[in-house]
Each structure stands twice: as C-alpha cells, then as structure tokens.
Amino acid sequence: MIEGYENEELVDTIFRKTVAYEPRGDWPLVSDIRTVLDFGGGAGLHYKLARLQNPDIRWAVVETQAMARRALELATDRLMFFSDIEQAADWLGDVELMHSDGAIQYVPDAIETVRSLCATRPAVMLWKRVPTSDGEAQKREVQTSFLSDNGPGRLPTASDKLVKYERNWVPAQAFLAAHQGYRMIERSSDPQERGTEQFRFVRNG
C-alpha cells in the first residue's frame, strides 16, 4: 500500500510514465496563449500536448515538493516546476491561463488555494474535474486507486499496488465566491469523471 501523493514510488511512476507518454490531438485553447500556470500538472503531461499546438508556450507547473523536485530534470527555458504558486507566477511574469485538471481536491485547503491562484491575476482560469458539494464545509474522504491508474499511459513495471490518499469535496458556493475579481463564463458536468464539474472564469476589467 502506498500512502499520499508525496510517496517516492508514486512520484517516480508518474514521472516515468509522463516521460514515455506521447500525446496526440489538438488543444485549440492554448494555440495563441503565451504563458500557463498549471496547478497540479504532474511532470508536465499537459505541457507535452500544449507544445504540439504552440512550441513557444511557457509553462509553469505547481506541484507537491516531491513531484517538483523529481521533475526538475525535465525543466527547460519554457517549462519549469515549482511547489509555490507565487514563485511560479513570478517566473512566468504574466499569467495568461491558470489550468488545473483534477488537482484542487487533493490540497488541504482548497478554498485558500483558489484565492492564492486568483491573486496571480491570470486572464483566464480553467478548472477541470472538480468534485463539488452543496454544503459549506469541505468534506474529506479516503480514496484508493491502483498505482497503474496514476499518470498517463501504461505502468512501466510489472507490479501494481494500491495507492491511498485524502480527497476533498469542495463546497461549490465557497469555490465560486473565492474567485474575486473574476466572472464565471462556463460551468458544466465534466465528461472525464463522473460527479465532477468543469469551470471557466475570466478576469474582470
């Protein structure tokens, strides 16, 4: 059993799967964007697809300390890894897009993290796979998955293990209210994961 997202074996598995992964497809959203802050972007999975559309895009991944440390060997002048939101924004200089796919539910305080991301003043904030709840308090649960389910593509080893970590249901009203200075232009069920939502916000003014 592996516990927590800082586990070395889990981090290394996600890293190696990402290195080997060769994405295909289009991502029109990023074709004209210069800078992206990718919250919870692993070892740069989303960047690998984005650079196919836009080779000059600059991409800052914000991750756990363990993942950011492991992924640093992949860093370039256009891809960098951080465990601190402000440092990532400073490196980019100007954040055009904040992108987060299935990550906010794994931080200890989701609402405070949303506020910190809003403080970097990205022009657009795109959230995917956010599990929301109707209550006021953040509800916690223990989630399990197989090691092979973490990261893109196939597991690079023959063995598989269970992974256990905390997952939070994010209070919907508090999540929306945390986006001060932004207006929501999209909210819908996320087709990637049952029971989650996707959102898009644009900065006012």
Side-chain angles (χ1 to χ4, degrees), residues 172-183:
Q173 291 306 312
F175 176 80
L176 298 177
H179 290 80
Q180 294 186 13
Y182 287 83
R183 69 181 185 279

Side-chain angles (χ1 to χ4, degrees), residues 39-181:
F39 183 78
L45 165 66
H46 307 297
Y47 172 74
K48 294 187 79 168
L49 178 59
R51 71 188 301 270
L52 297 179
Q53 330 294 317
N54 184 354
D56 294 327
I57 199 166
R58 294 179 65 239
W59 200 275
V61 174
V62 177
E63 260 292 351
T64 63
Q65 291 185 358
M67 179 60 75
R69 215 169 27 242
R70 182 68 178 92
L72 266 180
E73 67 181 77
L74 303 177
T76 68
D77 60 345
R78 302 203 170 275
L79 171 66
M80 189 58 70
F81 298 88
F82 302 88
S83 58
D84 182 85
I85 292 170
E86 287 187 22
Q87 290 178 6
D90 287 344
W91 180 77
L92 288 172
D94 174 53
V95 184
E96 290 192 10
L97 171 67
M98 191 295 302
H99 170 271
S100 185
D101 188 349
I104 193 66
Q105 59 266 40
Y106 299 113
V107 302
D109 190 335
I111 302 307
E112 186 57 38
T113 301
V114 172
R115 293 192 185 106
S116 296
L117 288 164
C118 288
T120 68
R121 303 301 294 156
V124 178
M125 302 190 73
L126 178 63
W127 299 93
K128 297 180 180 179
R129 294 191 297 149
V130 180
T132 57
S133 66
D134 294 332
E136 296 183 4
Q138 182 170 280
K139 295 187 297 183
R140 300 179 187 274
E141 64 182 8
V142 175
Q143 183 178 9
T144 59
S145 67
F146 286 106
L147 181 61
S148 58
D149 293 331
N150 290 268
R154 303 182 68 178
L155 190 70
T157 64
S159 62
D160 208 351
K161 298 179 180 179
L162 281 176
V163 181
K164 182 171 72 172
Y165 36 74
E166 279 197 353
R167 178 178 188 258
N168 302 304
W169 289 85
V170 184
Q173 291 306 312
F175 176 80
L176 298 177
H179 290 80
Q180 294 186 13

